[in-house]
Amino acid sequence: MVVDYLPLYVDLRDKACLVVGAGTVALRKIELLLQAGAQVQVVAPKAAEAVQDLAASGKVSLEPRSYVSGDQAGHALVIAATGAAPVDAQVFEDCRAAGILVNTVDSPDLSSAIFPSIVDRDPVLVAVSTGGRSPTLARIVRGWLEARLPPALGRVAEFAAARRKAVKQNIESVAARRKFWERVVGGAAGEMLLSGDDERAGQQFERELRQAGPPAGSVALVGAGPGDPELITVRGLRLLQQADVVLYDNLVNERILGYARREAERIYVGKRRRFAGVRQEAINEMLLEHALAGRSVVRLKGGDPFIFGRGGEEIETLAAHGIDCAVVPGITAALGAASYAGIPLTHRDLAHSVRFVTGHRVHDEVNLNWPELIDPTQTLVIYMGLLGLREICARLIANGMPPDTPALMVERATLPDHKEITASLEELPEAVAGSDVRGPTIVIVGEVVKFGGRALHL
């Protein structure tokens, strides 16, 4: 991913900054610069009364004249806020030639730096930017964050800053220090600080520090859901954001990986159709190796870890070596495909049960207990059935399932480019063969397929 602007906090204390323009828009920028401790020079033929007051009090230097090339020299940052396109363009060109950062108000094309919307919980600052595309959207997002971030959040940061040296002296490992701060800031001490109980927070901190030891490794098997990144659970997202190492498979949407910590190691261990990929035994050993090294590991799996995800094999290996392992369920591919297609997998008049099977071919044959699958009051869901679809449909019909039973194949369930192919059980193989379906796929067979197409995707 390429970003238009790198989010960067800049120290402007005692730095010379130039503002070209002195109207109400310029005033907002001047106030921000003063708040950052900058030495502000203003150049403008006319100035708003508030800007004149700032100049009269000595807080800014005001020169009542038009901008001329050369004014930009020696400044760390220049802001063009004249509202006159030719002047703003000249300021931008002069600054670009001199390698000086410049912000032109409401003109991203004439800016090498932009002002984000800011959530201020001093010293905690959260900046929100749309790269100049929609300042209104940035302000809306800022409002969401304002409503969610506690007003006393800055107290937690000051508390931690005053104790960083003590923690560094007592805990040698960088990983152990990070885990310690996660327990303190994200735990009881942090809650006490937010409620104003500094004394008890200090006592809790001291207890945590006395008990601090080498970091214990852990593993979480996290279901990432069927594809749409918004379908991961809140708990899964929290563990992902805390992980040191993330092992992910082929069915995990890469946008979900963007939620992980920037420092987290990301390891691809997926398998693709016709390609073996990383063997399960090797994945088990990797999980064990990182956990024994004291790292927090997330094994991110498409769908749910325990539905054709081999989570049972992984947790068995870890348990044999005494490694803590949490399992965070995920929305399965079957549930995602059915929901987005508007199909209820159970229905009191049509389907009293659901059967999940895999259509994976072993030794060129799909090995299933076919007679058990022929139940008119049951919905049949087939994972990985694309390659063996013709054989699957033929064997179901041969064992007594009516050829006209409604069937649906869904490709890339829950994603924007998902595809649905509906046909009778007998006709589904030909319908799929005439399309460009490549997978991953889910097949749903049963009377409930008739309900398809009634759900909205909000």
Side-chain angles (χ1 to χ4, degrees), residues 1 240-249 252-270 286 290 295-298 300:
M1 180 182 71
L240 179 60
Q241 292 171 336
Q242 296 174 353
D244 300 311
V245 183
V246 180
L247 279 70
Y248 65 99
D249 64 32
V252 173
N253 191 320
E254 289 196 2
R255 286 172 55 195
I256 293 180
L257 297 176
Y259 297 143
R261 291 191 309 117
R262 184 169 291 129
E263 300 83 3
E265 182 180 0
R266 297 164 174 80
I267 303 173
Y268 174 72
V269 292
M286 278 190 272
H290 287 293
R295 302 185 182 101
S296 294
V297 184
V298 161
L300 200 58

Side-chain angles (χ1 to χ4, degrees), residues 3-348:
V3 296
D4 296 327
Y5 296 90
L6 176 67
L8 185 68
Y9 291 87
V10 179
D11 181 4
L12 291 178
R13 285 172 295 183
D14 298 322
K15 301 291 195 307
C17 296
L18 173 66
V19 178
V20 182
T24 55
V25 174
L27 175 62
R28 292 198 296 270
K29 306 299 184 185
I30 292 170
E31 291 171 340
L32 284 172
L33 292 175
L34 291 175
Q35 190 176 354
Q39 295 180 354
V40 183
Q41 178 186 5
V42 181
V43 172
K46 296 180 181 180
E49 183 176 347
V51 178
Q52 295 179 36
D53 291 344
L54 289 173
S57 64
K59 294 182 178 179
V60 303
S61 171
L62 174 61
E63 296 189 33
R65 59 174 178 81
S66 298
Y67 169 85
V68 295
S69 294
D71 285 342
Q72 81 283 355
H75 292 91
L77 173 67
V78 175
I79 297 173
T82 69
V87 178
D88 288 346
Q90 184 63 55
V91 174
F92 173 73
E93 292 299 334
D94 291 343
C95 290
R96 185 170 64 171
I100 298 172
L101 291 176
V102 56
N103 170 257
T104 303
V105 177
D106 291 334
S107 297
D109 293 342
L110 298 179
S111 299
S112 56
I114 58 176
F115 281 76
S117 288
I118 296 173
V119 180
D120 188 355
R121 297 289 187 270
D122 185 41
V124 178
L125 293 177
V126 180
V128 180
S129 170
T130 59
R133 291 170 176 81
S134 177
T136 299
L137 176 58
R139 287 195 294 272
I140 291 172
V141 175
R142 181 190 65 190
W144 294 342
L145 295 174
E146 288 273 10
R148 288 163 174 77
L149 295 180
L153 189 60
R155 294 164 55 86
V156 182
E158 295 289 8
F159 179 91
R163 292 161 176 78
R164 285 186 65 184
K165 185 176 180 180
V167 173
K168 192 170 184 179
Q169 289 173 342
N170 285 272
I171 304 176
E172 182 177 349
S173 163
V174 174
R177 288 201 297 270
R178 182 177 63 79
K179 292 180 185 299
F180 171 82
W181 281 119
E182 285 178 355
R183 289 198 306 274
V184 171
V185 174
E191 292 294 332
M192 293 169 187
L193 286 167
L194 293 176
S195 64
D197 195 342
D198 291 20
E199 183 177 353
R200 286 184 61 213
Q203 294 169 354
Q204 179 67 25
F205 169 84
E206 295 297 335
R207 283 194 293 271
E208 295 273 6
L209 190 58
R210 286 194 298 269
Q211 297 170 5
S218 64
V219 177
L221 309 184
V222 176
D228 185 337
E230 293 187 349
L231 295 180
I232 189 172
T233 64
V234 174
R235 186 180 181 211
L237 181 62
R238 175 175 60 80
L239 291 172
L240 179 60
Q241 292 171 336
Q242 296 174 353
D244 300 311
V245 183
V246 180
L247 279 70
Y248 65 99
D249 64 32
N250 184 49
L251 299 179
V252 173
N253 191 320
E254 289 196 2
R255 286 172 55 195
I256 293 180
L257 297 176
Y259 297 143
R261 291 191 309 117
R262 184 169 291 129
E263 300 83 3
E265 182 180 0
R266 297 164 174 80
I267 303 173
Y268 174 72
V269 292
K271 303 173 181 64
R272 291 187 173 91
R273 183 161 57 92
R274 298 183 185 275
F275 296 94
V278 181
R279 292 181 60 83
Q280 186 60 50
E281 293 78 9
I283 296 173
N284 296 348
E285 289 300 319
M286 278 190 272
L287 293 173
L288 187 60
E289 176 187 349
H290 287 293
L292 290 174
R295 302 185 182 101
S296 294
V297 184
V298 161
R299 172 70 170 103
L300 200 58
K301 296 171 172 287
D304 181 274
F306 283 177
I307 302 293
F308 302 123
R310 295 192 175 181
E313 299 174 39
E314 293 169 352
I315 201 171
E316 184 179 14
T317 299
L318 296 166
H321 292 81
I323 300 299
D324 291 336
C325 183
V327 180
V328 181
I331 297 175
T332 69
L335 296 179
S339 297
Y340 274 57
I343 296 173
L345 292 180
T346 61
H347 188 285
R348 64 179 180 175

